[in-house]
Amino acid sequence: MSVLPNTTTRGADRRWPLYVLVAVALVALALGVEAFLRAENFLPGEEVSPGVRDVVVSPENSLYPPPDTAHFEGPPETIFVYLSVEELPSVEDMEAQVERVGSGSVFSLLLDRGAGIEVLDEQEDQLSTGENGATGIMKFALKTTSGEPVPPGNYTVEVYGPGATGGEYAVAARKLFVIEE
């Protein structure tokens, strides 16, 4: 009589779904902790270089800078950024960039595809130029590409311009602000 070996694999190595679930849970936990720590370290404020007196963010579109809003209670349709300059050597080649760090649940952070925020320089600048440079108010707007309100999160707006010697670009102003849900 010959005995055939049992080659069926009942329940053998069926633990892989459990390993995948544990790995996904650990990644989600790490993302949640990282987002929490990033949000805790974020403080609204500003940094300005010589030639820039002030940088103001506001939902108001006005000729002159309204009061600064570093903390928005809800998502505005548009955010206006006002840059007050005095004897700034060159304003023609200035650029602005915006960065958003989202806030919310771990699930919403995993599914967030980005807000598509753009910097629009369609505003009228109130500048006068003299032999020492430009003085006055520069204004630009931040909007979403979809036309929806600007989403909640921690925002950093940086305005770049040529260095004092006209060489490499440097940060002329940096503004940090928060939009809550």
Side-chain angles (χ1 to χ4, degrees), residues 12 25 60 76 79 89 97 99-100 125-126 131 144 164:
E60 297 178 39
I79 297 174
Q97 294 180 349
E99 178 183 321
R100 172 182 171 257
D125 294 333
Q126 306 292 322
E131 57 186 57
T144 60

Side-chain angles (χ1 to χ4, degrees), residues 24-119:
V24 168
L26 288 175
V27 167
L29 180 64
L31 284 173
V33 168
E34 191 267 338
F36 176 76
L37 292 175
R38 192 173 5 163
E40 289 296 313
N41 292 333
F42 189 86
L43 293 173
E46 65 185 51
E47 298 172 21
V48 294
S49 66
V52 178
R53 285 190 281 166
D54 195 15
V55 58
V56 172
V57 293
S58 175
E60 297 178 39
N61 183 9
S62 65
L63 191 57
Y64 294 102
D68 193 17
T69 308
H71 192 92
F72 293 84
E73 295 297 323
E77 292 291 324
T78 304
I79 297 174
F80 295 94
V81 181
Y82 300 85
L83 197 65
S84 177
V85 299
E86 184 173 2
E87 298 180 355
L88 192 64
S90 175
V91 295
E92 287 83 24
D93 297 329
M94 295 190 80
E95 296 178 4
Q97 294 180 349
V98 62
E99 178 183 321
R100 172 182 171 257
V101 176
S103 61
S105 67
V106 173
F107 188 68
S108 68
L109 288 174
L110 289 173
L111 297 178
D112 187 15
R113 293 187 206 149
I117 300 168
E118 59 185 349
V119 177

